Amino acid sequence: TVSVTTTCGYYTIPYTQNFDLFPTGGIPPCYTRDNANADAVQWQIQAVTFSSASRSMHMAKSLTLNMDDWFFLPGLYLNGGTSYRLFFRYNTGNTSTLFENLRVRLGNGASVVAMTETLIDLPNINNNSFQIAVVDFIPVTTGVYYLGFQGQSIANQTYIAIDDISVTLSPSCFAPTDVTINSTGITTASVSWTAASPAPANGYQYYV
């Protein structure tokens, strides 16, 4: 009998994960999770609801205990002083009276105590289709970092589903937001938007 021990090491950027290649009921290789409230439910891959077919990371509700559950991405090698972008999609399937709370933290280890910086906090989520979350962050020093996703809702709400996670270099040119078509004619259209900050020096390209 030969015993083989492997280590996960770290991943380089860009990093992506859509959970579609792994069986339900578990987590991807090199991921870890912490069922901090010690109930019967924890983060796991499920095919219940997803943004990209056919799986997502899913956190079910507890009927009696407040949610306090984490999953941690594998280590990511990041350069100090470089801006990175975390992107993911989230859904709760909520009705109007049920809310979930989600936050993402950054740290130097895959554990709750190692999480030292909050990247994004999403309280009172109430959506029944997948929404996009984006945040840019700059690590101070070069090294291996870990991202922790924490569900921290009160008991007996609905669920939290996470899909299409990526960590990439932040873009140097940012897309406008709140793009609105105000009016249209046979050969004309009036379009408005909120410019990015900073706005691109050479304006925007558009396609019809």
Side-chain angles (χ1 to χ4, degrees):
T1 302
V2 177
S3 299
V4 178
T5 301
T6 61
T7 58
C8 286
Y10 58 80
Y11 289 78
T12 55
I13 304 302
Y15 173 82
T16 61
Q17 179 60 262
N18 63 13
F19 307 105
D20 296 337
L21 299 179
F22 308 105
T24 59
I27 56 177
C30 299
Y31 275 56
T32 57
R33 56 188 172 183
D34 188 336
N35 184 16
N37 61 350
D39 62 0
V41 292
Q42 58 184 330
W43 287 102
Q44 58 183 324
I45 296 171
Q46 286 290 356
V48 176
T49 182
F50 41 80
S51 176
S52 59
S54 58
R55 291 173 171 80
S56 67
M57 187 69 92
H58 186 271
M59 181 66 220
K61 68 181 180 181
S62 168
L63 295 177
T64 57
L65 294 179
N66 291 343
M67 185 186 297
D68 186 10
D69 293 84
W70 295 75
F71 74 87
F72 302 96
L73 272 62
L76 303 175
Y77 187 85
L78 306 177
N79 291 309
T82 298
S83 182
Y84 296 93
R85 172 163 290 188
L86 168 65
F87 173 102
F88 63 92
R89 302 178 193 271
Y90 64 92
N91 190 14
T92 62
N94 278 350
T95 64
S96 60
T97 59
L98 301 175
F99 299 88
E100 301 286 358
N101 300 318
L102 173 70
R103 69 172 176 170
V104 183
R105 306 201 75 202
L106 178 73
N108 61 7
S111 67
V112 175
V113 296
M115 297 287 103
T116 56
E117 179 182 353
T118 297
L119 297 185
I120 187 169
D121 195 1
L122 298 171
N124 300 319
I125 305 170
N126 184 266
N127 56 296
N128 58 15
S129 62
F130 275 88
Q131 304 296 313
I132 290 174
V134 175
V135 61
D136 295 302
F137 64 98
I138 303 175
V140 176
T141 59
T142 298
V144 178
Y145 291 84
Y146 296 80
L147 291 170
F149 286 69
Q150 181 194 19
Q152 49 175 345
S153 311
I154 64 173
N156 198 25
Q157 298 301 293
T158 52
Y159 62 81
I160 305 175
I162 306 293
D163 207 356
D164 300 333
I165 298 172
S166 68
V167 180
T168 59
L169 291 174
S170 296
S172 58
C173 181
F174 299 94
T177 58
D178 302 320
V179 178
T180 303
I181 299 176
N182 300 309
S183 62
T184 60
I186 297 175
T187 60
T188 63
S190 173
V191 181
S192 63
W193 62 84
T194 300
S197 180
N202 296 319
Y204 294 103
Q205 291 182 324
Y206 62 91
Y207 301 87
V208 178

